[in-house]
Amino acid sequence: MKADLNITFIQTSLHWQNRKANLEMLAEKIISVDLPTDLILLPEMFTTGFSMSPEIFAETIGGEAMTWMRLMAEQTSAVICGSMMMNDGVHYYNRLIWMRPDGSFEHYDKRHLFGLGEENQHYTRGNKKILVELNGWKILPLICYDLRFPVWSRNSEFFDLILYVANWPERRIYAWKQLLISRAIENQCYVAGVNRVGYDGNEVYHSGNSMTVDPAGEVLIQQEHNETVFTSTLSHQHLIHLRQKYPFLKDQDQFKFES
């Protein structure tokens, strides 16, 4: 039986387009974590907020933010996960980084770019998902707007957990909450979503509502409006029990996703 998984959420406001201030602020919050944790989740575009200026603020693989993530992961002995604008020398991406304590990492480029906010005019969309493993858990990490597209998160690989890092506005927070629950139920897996709080540089308000949902769709913990750091423990035994009692995944349709 796999061990339980402890996930720490950093639900926070972000300094608009200010890498230095955000990294300092986030480091203080991360260092304040006093419970054992396996994974620390940061919001989408945690270095800048949801900015459409990658030509000015985009990071590089060898840059300051990546160095900071390595240091935080090493110091906490936990995986650090969040997204930032990234320049690979050819394109700009909204890129999620999965940084391990040993300094190795994986990345996922956001597939579904938010056309309503013109994200698709500034960034290149990703073309593949990744699956990562932590303490025996198989995990699918995704970014914000991906939440609206169930085919992209379809559990054909029998993963245990979907993660969403987000800048999801309060004006559409009902959809955020309902879709997180839906993704958990339809995929019979845990879902964890971290969202920012406060106003961004475009005066768009975010109410957080970071949460974990169990494989039956029950909300285990949810925090709204306030800046907070909290840890949620996921039980693998509970996941296996539900899948054995209700073996719905074996009845899903089989088809191949085409990009």
Side-chain angles (χ1 to χ4, degrees):
M1 183 65 64
K2 299 172 188 175
D4 292 347
L5 191 69
N6 298 311
I7 302 177
T8 297
F9 297 73
I10 309 294
Q11 177 172 287
T12 184
S13 60
L14 295 170
H15 300 281
W16 185 245
Q17 297 179 341
N18 190 332
R19 177 200 302 123
K20 183 175 186 294
N22 283 316
L23 296 185
E24 290 178 355
M25 174 271 293
L26 289 166
E28 290 181 3
K29 293 182 184 298
I30 290 170
I31 292 170
S32 74
V33 176
D34 56 4
L35 294 173
T37 192
D38 304 300
L39 172 63
I40 298 173
L41 291 181
L42 309 177
E44 178 184 22
M45 290 197 186
F46 66 85
T47 61
T48 57
F50 192 63
S51 166
M52 297 299 107
S53 299
E55 66 282 355
I56 302 173
F57 300 106
E59 306 285 340
T60 62
I61 288 294
E64 181 180 358
M66 289 290 289
T67 300
W68 177 89
M69 290 187 81
R70 289 189 185 94
L71 178 62
M72 290 295 100
E74 180 183 9
Q75 289 184 355
T76 59
S77 298
V79 170
I80 308 290
C81 179
S83 91
M84 64 182 87
M85 55 177 76
M86 185 70 71
N87 179 1
D88 73 349
V90 180
H91 302 291
Y92 298 116
Y93 295 96
N94 183 347
R95 177 168 290 180
L96 178 145
I97 302 295
W98 178 269
M99 181 64 71
R100 302 183 184 93
D102 65 1
S104 64
F105 66 92
E106 309 290 340
H107 77 265
Y108 161 71
D109 295 326
K110 188 177 183 181
R111 168 72 178 186
H112 300 95
L113 301 177
F114 188 55
L116 190 62
E118 299 183 351
E119 186 180 15
N120 58 330
Q121 297 182 29
H122 299 274
Y123 299 89
T124 299
R125 75 173 185 171
N127 57 19
K128 65 176 182 179
K129 298 185 289 186
I130 65 168
L131 287 176
V132 291
E133 187 172 307
L134 180 59
N135 296 353
W137 289 65
K138 189 183 291 187
I139 301 169
L140 175 69
L142 298 173
I143 303 174
C144 201
Y145 193 44
D146 288 330
L147 177 60
R148 287 188 176 269
F149 302 93
V151 172
W152 192 238
S153 59
R154 186 171 180 273
N155 198 357
S156 56
E157 300 91 351
F158 291 93
F159 47 73
D160 306 309
L161 168 65
I162 308 176
L163 303 176
Y164 293 96
V165 303
N167 273 215
W168 195 287
E170 192 272 341
R171 66 184 65 158
R172 292 185 293 277
I173 204 65
Y174 179 81
W176 163 261
K177 293 185 286 187
Q178 302 309 310
L179 290 172
L180 288 173
I181 293 170
S182 296
R183 297 295 86 82
I185 293 171
E186 70 196 12
N187 291 301
Q188 268 195 322
C189 69
Y190 284 99
V191 170
V194 64
N195 191 27
R196 65 160 295 172
V197 294
Y199 289 92
D200 67 14
N202 297 311
E203 293 302 309
V204 175
Y205 180 70
H206 302 75
S207 60
N209 292 95
S210 300
M211 67 173 75
T212 53
V213 187
D214 87 347
E218 179 181 352
V219 176
L220 303 179
I221 189 169
Q222 180 178 183
Q223 297 286 337
E224 58 182 347
H225 294 295
N226 57 310
E227 290 198 1
T228 184
V229 177
F230 64 96
T231 299
S232 180
T233 300
L234 310 185
S235 166
H236 199 268
Q237 183 176 2
H238 178 60
L239 171 67
I240 296 302
H241 171 74
L242 282 174
R243 286 182 174 175
Q244 290 177 343
K245 186 175 181 179
Y246 304 109
F248 300 145
L249 286 178
K250 71 178 182 64
D251 296 326
Q252 64 182 329
D253 297 311
Q254 301 299 316
F255 62 90
K256 182 178 179 180
F257 180 85
E258 295 183 1
S259 61

